[in-house]
Amino acid sequence: MVQTSDILVGAIEAGGTKFVCAVGTGPGERMLARAAFPTGERPAELLATVVDWLKEQEGRHGRLRALGVASFGPVDLRPGSPTYGFITSTPKPGWRNAEVLGPLRAAFADIPIGFDTDVNGAALGEHAWGSAVGLSDFVYITIGTGIGAGALVGGQLLHGLVHPEMGHLRLRRESKDRFRGVCPYHEDCWEGLCSGPAIKKRTGMRAEDLPPEHPAWDLAARYIAQAVANITCVLSPQRVILGGSVPKGGRLGGDRLFRRIREKLQAALNGYISAPALGPEIDRYLVPPLLGDDAGVCGAMALGQRAAGEEPAV
Amino acid sequence: MVQTSDILVGAIEAGGTKFVCAVGTGPGERMLARAAFPTGERPAELLATVVDWLKEQEGRHGRLRALGVASFGPVDLRPGSPTYGFITSTPKPGWRNAEVLGPLRAAFADIPIGFDTDVNGAALGEHAWGSAVGLSDFVYITIGTGIGAGALVGGQLLHGLVHPEMGHLRLRRESKDRFRGVCPYHEDCWEGLCSGPAIKKRTGMRAEDLPPEHPAWDLAARYIAQAVANITCVLSPQRVILGGSVPKGGRLGGDRLFRRIREKLQAALNGYISAPALGPEIDRYLVPPLLGDDAGVCGAMALGQRAAGEEPAV
């Protein structure tokens, strides 16, 4: 059960383009301060800036009781590991094997720090204040520059061996699709066929600019539906949240894109799994994130509150 | 942590062909009694027979402290549901909407009863005494008459909305494969292409009888590898256990079949997920079940011990 709480936390959404930081107890008017810093190529400098900003907010708003960090990756999430809290094999200049947690731990030695992937953070934020309140099992997917996913399973964030890499699912090619794909590891995995850069390379246009009748929308809907069908078969989630820039649907509109994906998802499952969520209630099974572009930083807040041993405030 | 325990349980592996029952505290010599009854078409009669047999064993071996039931499905696993403990939409004559748990509950009113899918049971048995001791996140897959999977995620059995249906993953067709598939719902999903009946229809021979050089083995290895790669991307397990009749490899042999699957699995992932388990330690990532054909009934024992509030004895 989610409990009301007033735990003041510092939140860091560590993204590949910018670090979004916040101080507060939740979204909206409960977010007392917010700032963004470009990620750049010098992790230590950036983290020092972030620490200064958080300390300054403490002076204004009171003592922080926890920090939460939702980071781009891949990241090392194994608490016993010597590189716990590091970004590991990213191609991003300056960030390979960069320590994210260490400088924060040094500056805030006496409070708990929650650390997880950006997508697990976003999942937790949607669980606390968004489209997944009250659920124990759901998936949060983002389709943008890349495709990634976080998940809650039995009420816990999914980690396992490393962390999920759902964007790299192999999909069945649509019969007329000859596009080669853009993934450097797998060419035409889901991310290779359906991410923002894939759509741009396939069509010469950004997804945002594609005309509503462009066949790339139908293709994207089919691949997304197939991937969600496979995720449904493996994880049996109660809901799937689809965020990021591509599901916004550009000039087609998110509502129309979601409708198409849901139709093709039901066609792919073909009634095999008997559950209202996959039948008449499909509109509530596949949904956009409620926190929108705030999902990341709110997720970091939720990670902080969870680290402090309490469920995020609602 | 798994604790040693001497909890005496009654176990029922409720299969589509036979119900295997046992009384004991674990596998091997700790299994004090064992019997099998044909499943038939009359659930109430069969369950009365099972109850009589269990009561008889109690007279000999002492009071049972819990029961465990690992059942074929689909089953209703939601404890609050009016049909909790029922088999639901099976095509098996006599078993559609059959109550399995009710008659056992009536006969053993004062002890806990663990109830789950056959594959979740087998997973728990392998966790207690087999190939998954000490792991928090792994998948148990069986490939035989059908393809099914159970999983432990964060130390808990995976349920979610209903339960996983990993056998119905859509796979990319191998380029020269024109076989239509045998799944009545999806034709050429994983089960449709790769189950025992699929191999028989594809080749005219049972998997057990296929010559080692038959191309159907290579095809099976490719499809299994692709499915395991996708499951790895979604669930990030620490290990994948592959049981059932097909992975035994017939005249090719299980060792050679597993070697091929591992090679193709590594080729499919192409080094993207950086972990020793998917690199030099791949032999320990994809493994056969240690309990072999006892996985089911041992799994039911483990479900019983878990229901009694203790980890299965080791």
Side-chain angles (χ1 to χ4, degrees):
Chain A
M1 289 294 100
V2 179
Q3 294 178 320
T4 303
S5 136
D6 292 311
I7 297 184
L8 187 71
V9 293
I12 302 162
E13 178 192 7
T17 308
K18 58 186 176 179
F19 274 42
V20 180
C21 304
V23 161
T25 60
E29 61 187 21
R30 291 166 53 192
M31 197 181 288
L32 305 173
R34 181 186 174 122
F37 307 97
T39 304
E41 300 184 5
R42 299 170 188 266
E45 272 181 27
L46 173 58
L47 285 160
T49 305
V50 166
V51 164
D52 288 347
W53 184 84
L54 288 170
K55 293 283 185 191
E56 196 186 316
Q57 302 313 312
E58 271 201 316
R60 282 183 205 160
H61 303 291
R63 195 168 166 277
L64 300 178
R65 288 176 51 196
L67 296 188
V69 186
S71 178
F72 75 102
V75 287
D76 186 342
L77 298 177
R78 297 162 302 166
S81 159
T83 52
Y84 173 64
F86 280 55
I87 289 172
T88 58
S89 58
T90 178
K92 198 171 173 52
W95 287 87
R96 194 178 168 83
N97 299 321
E99 195 178 3
V100 173
L101 195 54
L104 298 169
R105 167 62 58 228
F108 294 91
D110 53 351
I111 59 174
I113 306 181
F115 181 80
D116 216 308
T117 60
D118 45 7
V119 277
N120 262 350
L124 205 57
E126 289 292 325
H127 184 252
W129 305 292
S131 291
V133 170
L135 301 183
S136 59
D137 293 77
F138 70 95
V139 181
Y140 173 92
I141 299 166
T142 177
I143 307 182
T145 311
I147 300 182
L152 218 69
V153 177
Q156 298 176 77
L157 290 169
L158 176 58
H159 293 132
L161 180 68
V162 185
H163 48 67
E165 285 289 356
M166 302 193 204
H168 296 270
L169 279 169
R170 293 297 171 96
L171 301 180
R172 181 170 300 187
R173 299 290 297 249
E174 291 293 325
S175 56
K176 289 172 201 158
D177 184 17
R178 298 282 169 268
F179 178 60
R180 189 165 173 179
V182 300
C183 174
Y185 287 87
H186 313 114
E187 285 202 335
D188 59 353
C189 62
W190 187 19
E191 179 171 303
L193 290 171
C194 219
S195 60
I199 291 174
K200 183 148 195 292
K201 189 153 188 195
R202 180 196 287 283
T203 63
M205 277 181 279
R206 299 186 314 157
E208 297 88 300
D209 301 326
L210 280 181
E213 66 282 5
H214 197 291
W217 281 124
D218 196 62
L219 214 48
R222 286 174 189 274
Y223 285 130
I224 294 169
Q226 191 191 145
V228 173
N230 277 356
I231 291 166
T232 298
C233 286
V234 175
L235 263 182
S236 189
Q238 299 162 310
R239 187 166 293 159
V240 175
I241 302 172
L242 209 55
S245 59
V246 171
K248 287 180 182 171
R251 294 164 55 195
L252 176 68
D255 285 354
R256 285 170 70 191
L257 181 60
F258 269 76
R259 219 156 33 232
R260 280 197 208 172
I261 299 169
R262 289 184 194 117
E263 273 167 26
K264 292 174 208 303
L265 170 62
Q266 288 185 314
L269 294 171
N270 197 23
Y272 180 70
I273 303 172
S274 164
L278 301 171
E281 296 170 16
I282 192 78
D283 288 1
R284 292 167 54 201
Y285 183 72
L286 186 78
V287 301
L290 209 67
L291 296 172
D293 295 335
D294 268 355
V297 71
C298 289
M301 281 191 162
L303 283 169
Q305 293 186 327
R306 182 167 276 216
E310 310 208 17
E311 291 291 335
V314 289
Chain B
M1 290 291 102
V2 179
Q3 293 178 321
T4 301
S5 137
D6 293 311
I7 296 183
L8 187 71
V9 293
I12 301 163
E13 179 193 5
T17 309
K18 60 188 175 178
F19 273 41
V20 180
C21 303
V23 160
T25 60
E29 62 188 20
R30 291 166 53 192
M31 198 181 288
L32 305 174
R34 183 185 170 121
F37 307 98
T39 304
E41 300 185 5
R42 297 169 188 266
E45 272 182 28
L46 172 58
L47 285 160
T49 304
V50 166
V51 165
D52 287 348
W53 184 84
L54 288 169
K55 293 283 185 191
E56 197 187 314
Q57 302 313 313
E58 271 200 315
R60 281 183 204 160
H61 302 291
R63 194 167 167 278
L64 300 178
R65 287 176 51 198
L67 296 187
V69 185
S71 178
F72 74 103
V75 287
D76 186 342
L77 299 176
R78 297 162 300 166
S81 159
T83 53
Y84 173 64
F86 280 55
I87 289 172
T88 57
S89 58
T90 180
K92 197 169 173 55
W95 287 87
R96 194 177 167 80
N97 299 321
E99 195 177 5
V100 173
L101 195 54
L104 298 169
R105 167 62 56 228
F108 293 91
D110 53 351
I111 58 173
I113 306 181
F115 180 79
D116 217 308
T117 60
D118 46 6
V119 278
N120 262 349
L124 205 57
E126 289 291 324
H127 184 252
W129 305 291
S131 291
V133 170
L135 301 184
S136 60
D137 293 77
F138 71 95
V139 181
Y140 173 92
I141 300 168
T142 178
I143 308 182
T145 311
I147 301 183
L152 218 68
V153 176
Q156 299 176 76
L157 290 169
L158 176 58
H159 294 133
L161 181 67
V162 185
H163 48 68
E165 286 289 356
M166 301 193 205
H168 296 270
L169 279 168
R170 293 297 171 93
L171 302 180
R172 183 171 299 187
R173 299 291 297 249
E174 290 294 325
S175 57
K176 290 172 199 157
D177 185 18
R178 297 282 169 269
F179 179 61
R180 189 165 172 178
V182 301
C183 174
Y185 287 87
H186 314 114
E187 284 202 336
D188 59 354
C189 62
W190 188 18
E191 179 172 301
L193 291 171
C194 219
S195 61
I199 292 175
K200 184 150 195 294
K201 187 152 190 198
R202 180 196 287 283
T203 64
M205 277 181 278
R206 297 186 315 157
E208 298 89 297
D209 301 326
L210 279 182
E213 67 281 5
H214 197 292
W217 281 125
D218 196 61
L219 214 48
R222 286 174 189 274
Y223 285 130
I224 294 170
Q226 191 191 147
V228 173
N230 277 356
I231 290 166
T232 298
C233 286
V234 175
L235 264 183
S236 190
Q238 298 162 311
R239 186 165 293 157
V240 175
I241 302 173
L242 210 53
S245 58
V246 171
K248 288 181 181 170
R251 294 164 55 195
L252 176 68
D255 284 354
R256 286 170 70 191
L257 181 60
F258 269 77
R259 221 160 26 237
R260 280 196 208 174
I261 299 170
R262 291 185 193 115
E263 273 167 27
K264 293 174 207 303
L265 170 61
Q266 288 185 314
L269 294 170
N270 198 22
Y272 180 71
I273 303 171
S274 165
L278 301 172
E281 297 170 15
I282 192 80
D283 289 0
R284 291 167 53 202
Y285 183 72
L286 187 77
V287 301
L290 209 67
L291 297 172
D293 295 334
D294 269 355
V297 70
C298 289
M301 280 189 163
L303 283 170
Q305 292 186 329
R306 182 168 276 217
E310 308 208 18
E311 291 290 336
V314 289

